[in-house]
Amino acid sequence: MTSQQHTAYTIGHAPSQIKHHEWRTASNSAPHLLPHLASLLTTNPSLKLLDIGCGPGTISASLAQRLLPSGHVLATDISDSVLERAKDHALSQGLSVPDNISFQKASVYELPSPDGHFDVVHAHQVLCHLDSPVPAIREMLRVCKPGGLLSLRESDMKMWCFWPELPSLITFHDLIVNVMLANKGQDKGGRKLVSWVLDAGVERKDVEAGFGTWCYSQEEDRKWWGEAMIERLRTGEMRKKGIELALTTEEGVEEMIRGWREWMGREDANLGIVNGEVIVRKPEV
Amino acid sequence: MTSQQHTAYTIGHAPSQIKHHEWRTASNSAPHLLPHLASLLTTNPSLKLLDIGCGPGTISASLAQRLLPSGHVLATDISDSVLERAKDHALSQGLSVPDNISFQKASVYELPSPDGHFDVVHAHQVLCHLDSPVPAIREMLRVCKPGGLLSLRESDMKMWCFWPELPSLITFHDLIVNVMLANKGQDKGGRKLVSWVLDAGVERKDVEAGFGTWCYSQEEDRKWWGEAMIERLRTGEMRKKGIELALTTEEGVEEMIRGWREWMGREDANLGIVNGEVIVRKPEV
């Protein structure tokens, strides 16, 4: 384990990146977990859930709402400022801090909880930012109680499909993948999730695998997504890293921004993004 | 409209192809339609549904079961032998023919029904086999009643993600896409669905779009899928067309079969396949 592993969030916490994440909720970003959660709650209303790498905390808060009144979410992240923002979001949603949800700074490689503490351990698009996903999964399993669930959802960056296939959007897609790889992240996490959890010591019979999608096609979704991408190109890590690594140029960035504007304006436009999903049942001792 | 449009099913009705389709049900292959269907049935228990290009009829039969006792499915295909098989399947599922479900030979370009006849018109992976999807959609809309629904689900052939990425499977994927294109089919139907329905005269506000997936990772799913692909390579259109068009060779086919065998045997294996989905609400007159 290197010190980089403790502190790295490869794409940064720029406002553009945070804004891009705020659209996410349990419904659109943890659909594979929801039926399991509903089922667990019928026998255990005081369910304890850990949400790792919570970012702006919109998924964490919507999970906490599903655990009301007796369950609890602990949301962790490696950035103090992001945790503050996530706490504000939880309060804005009418949640009680720390009764319904609490926040703690933590590395995914060293979680601040005893063995077997949580009924459900969840991470959404966290492993794709790590250079060593397997040790992180081992640590997640450590804090999951025997009989509990580990829920993972990871983007497969290769699996974006655009319509129309504007050349500048294809270039954008190459850039986002290459920035991720330059930061030692994972571009194919979605398809590798099963392989990773097996490498972490899980048996195949204890894994349920699937794929989930995001679709940006309705006008408001196109606008939301396109604006978020433009903001990342204007002010985020994408521009900075992309130019620094000579993956693009100022002119290239402007061309991609024009591409997103064109895409947003076309009512026949569509974008599908694919995420791998697994639910791991940790065996009883 | 050419005569080819009336009769072509580009990948053929070989037993290998039919077997490959039999796994499909409404649950795994029409999930976008099911909530709409449940909602419509609450006010209209005698719902009439048209399932176009039914193939072996497993989706049609599972839709008919959801419409019991008073609804009805008409399933069409362009092959008599396939319709016979679909009828046998419906009977084997305890459905009454023709009370719950009936079968009729028909081209998607000339549906044998009056204007506005069906509450729901459904087609699963039909447009991808056509050289002219838009006229087919117009014909589907013609037989849909005002206020009724058109439900489409089309594979996006480019959107397959394998793990592990065995070279022979990548070659297989190229072959299946190229055979589809050589047959004047559509390799990117999933992402183009919104564009196609707009070209057919639908307004954007009447379209709901999404993407759905198939995942082959559990042992029985890997085995089922891998065996189906091997059978297509051994006896189906894939081998015949692939060799005829010089897209592969006998040795190439054997190599791909070995690739699928290896993939099936690996418990870390995964395959995600992405389908575009739309629900179109036909405006009231």
Side-chain angles (χ1 to χ4, degrees):
Chain A
M1 202 185 297
T2 68
S3 65
Q4 193 219 355
Q5 286 182 332
H6 289 271
T7 55
Y9 179 58
T10 54
I11 57 172
H13 288 108
S16 60
Q17 185 63 30
I18 299 298
K19 181 181 172 194
H20 163 50
H21 287 167
E22 282 187 342
W23 170 84
R24 300 178 187 176
T25 63
S27 297
N28 65 31
S29 300
H32 63 297
L33 174 60
L34 298 184
H36 293 281
L37 215 52
S39 164
L40 288 170
L41 282 168
T42 60
T43 56
N44 177 14
S46 302
L47 197 141
K48 290 200 289 283
L49 185 148
L50 173 64
D51 187 27
I52 297 167
C54 68
T58 51
I59 298 174
S60 323
S62 60
L63 287 170
Q65 269 157 338
R66 289 168 188 264
L67 304 194
L68 289 174
S70 314
H72 185 266
V73 169
L74 172 62
T76 65
D77 204 281
I78 52 170
S79 157
D80 285 319
S81 63
V82 162
L83 285 167
E84 274 306 308
R85 186 161 173 162
K87 184 177 163 185
D88 289 346
H89 175 75
L91 292 168
S92 80
Q93 300 300 300
L95 290 163
S96 167
V97 179
D99 286 348
N100 308 136
I101 185 167
S102 56
F103 298 89
Q104 191 166 4
K105 187 172 176 173
S107 157
V108 60
Y109 297 108
E110 284 183 325
L111 295 166
S113 304
D115 295 0
H117 188 67
F118 295 97
D119 301 288
V120 177
V121 176
H122 176 68
H124 175 90
Q125 295 200 355
V126 172
L127 299 171
C128 59
H129 301 296
L130 306 177
D131 56 1
S132 305
V134 175
I137 294 171
R138 278 200 206 99
E139 178 67 353
M140 293 176 189
L141 286 164
R142 180 186 68 74
V143 301
C144 182
K145 86 171 180 196
L149 299 182
L150 169 62
S151 161
L152 301 171
R153 194 176 203 247
E154 289 297 329
S155 182
D156 201 288
M157 304 269 304
K158 291 286 187 185
M159 297 285 283
W160 285 31
C161 74
F162 290 102
W163 191 258
E165 297 180 287
L166 304 176
S168 54
L169 297 192
I170 306 301
T171 306
F172 173 91
H173 185 218
D174 289 344
L175 175 63
I176 199 169
V177 170
N178 287 326
V179 168
M180 179 66 90
L181 291 176
N183 282 324
K184 300 193 178 173
Q186 310 288 332
D187 62 338
K188 295 179 181 173
R191 74 190 71 186
K192 290 182 182 175
L193 269 180
V194 172
S195 172
W196 286 345
V197 298
L198 298 184
D199 286 350
V202 171
E203 290 186 47
R204 185 65 187 79
K205 69 176 174 55
D206 296 322
V207 185
E208 265 177 38
F211 289 93
T213 60
W214 285 323
C215 172
Y216 303 97
S217 177
Q218 308 277 13
E219 185 175 7
E220 65 269 25
D221 294 329
R222 291 198 313 269
K223 190 155 189 266
W224 182 88
W225 178 267
E227 290 292 359
M229 294 303 107
I230 288 170
E231 207 170 324
R232 288 176 75 176
L233 282 166
R234 286 234 167 94
T235 63
E237 183 78 353
M238 287 269 299
R239 177 188 208 106
K240 188 167 155 281
K241 270 275 179 184
I243 293 174
E244 189 181 303
L245 297 169
L247 297 169
T248 187
T249 60
E250 293 287 345
E251 175 45 35
V253 167
E254 292 308 316
E255 181 62 28
M256 288 182 255
I257 290 173
R258 285 192 292 274
W260 280 114
R261 288 238 172 277
E262 179 180 346
W263 179 84
M264 285 159 66
R266 283 187 57 158
E267 62 171 10
D268 65 341
N270 204 350
L271 170 61
I273 293 185
V274 178
N275 301 278
E277 299 165 343
V278 297
I279 297 286
V280 175
R281 190 169 298 273
K282 182 171 169 174
E284 302 280 355
V285 186
Chain B
M1 198 184 298
T2 67
S3 65
Q4 193 219 355
Q5 285 182 334
H6 288 271
T7 55
Y9 179 58
T10 56
I11 58 174
H13 288 107
S16 60
Q17 185 62 31
I18 301 297
K19 183 182 172 193
H20 162 51
H21 288 165
E22 283 189 341
W23 170 85
R24 301 178 186 175
T25 64
S27 298
N28 66 31
S29 300
H32 62 299
L33 174 60
L34 298 184
H36 294 280
L37 215 52
S39 164
L40 289 172
L41 282 167
T42 59
T43 55
N44 177 12
S46 302
L47 198 140
K48 289 199 290 282
L49 186 148
L50 173 65
D51 187 26
I52 296 168
C54 68
T58 51
I59 298 174
S60 323
S62 60
L63 287 169
Q65 270 158 338
R66 289 169 189 265
L67 303 194
L68 290 174
S70 315
H72 184 268
V73 169
L74 173 63
T76 65
D77 204 280
I78 51 169
S79 156
D80 285 318
S81 63
V82 162
L83 285 166
E84 274 306 308
R85 186 162 172 160
K87 184 177 163 186
D88 289 346
H89 175 75
L91 293 168
S92 80
Q93 301 300 299
L95 289 163
S96 168
V97 178
D99 286 350
N100 308 137
I101 185 167
S102 55
F103 298 89
Q104 190 166 5
K105 187 170 177 174
S107 157
V108 61
Y109 296 108
E110 284 184 324
L111 294 166
S113 304
D115 294 2
H117 188 69
F118 295 98
D119 301 288
V120 177
V121 176
H122 176 67
H124 174 90
Q125 295 200 356
V126 172
L127 299 172
C128 58
H129 301 296
L130 306 178
D131 55 2
S132 305
V134 174
I137 294 171
R138 277 198 209 102
E139 178 66 354
M140 293 177 190
L141 286 164
R142 180 186 68 76
V143 300
C144 182
K145 85 172 182 196
L149 300 182
L150 170 64
S151 161
L152 301 171
R153 193 176 203 246
E154 289 297 329
S155 182
D156 201 288
M157 303 268 306
K158 291 285 186 186
M159 296 286 283
W160 284 31
C161 73
F162 290 103
W163 190 258
E165 296 181 286
L166 304 176
S168 54
L169 297 193
I170 307 302
T171 307
F172 173 91
H173 185 220
D174 290 342
L175 175 63
I176 199 170
V177 170
N178 287 326
V179 167
M180 178 67 90
L181 292 176
N183 282 326
K184 302 194 177 172
Q186 309 290 332
D187 62 338
K188 294 178 180 172
R191 72 190 71 185
K192 290 182 182 176
L193 270 181
V194 172
S195 172
W196 286 343
V197 297
L198 297 185
D199 285 349
V202 170
E203 288 188 48
R204 186 63 188 81
K205 69 175 175 52
D206 296 322
V207 185
E208 267 177 38
F211 289 93
T213 61
W214 285 323
C215 173
Y216 302 98
S217 177
Q218 308 278 11
E219 185 176 7
E220 65 270 24
D221 294 329
R222 292 197 313 270
K223 191 156 187 273
W224 182 88
W225 178 266
E227 291 291 359
M229 293 303 107
I230 288 171
E231 206 170 324
R232 287 176 75 176
L233 282 166
R234 285 233 167 96
T235 62
E237 182 79 352
M238 287 270 297
R239 177 190 208 105
K240 187 168 155 280
K241 270 275 178 184
I243 293 174
E244 188 180 304
L245 298 169
L247 297 168
T248 187
T249 61
E250 293 286 346
E251 175 46 35
V253 167
E254 292 307 317
E255 182 62 27
M256 289 182 252
I257 289 173
R258 284 192 292 275
W260 280 115
R261 289 237 172 278
E262 179 180 346
W263 180 84
M264 285 159 66
R266 284 187 59 159
E267 62 171 10
D268 65 341
N270 205 349
L271 170 61
I273 292 184
V274 178
N275 301 278
E277 299 165 343
V278 297
I279 297 286
V280 175
R281 190 170 298 273
K282 181 171 170 174
E284 302 280 355
V285 187

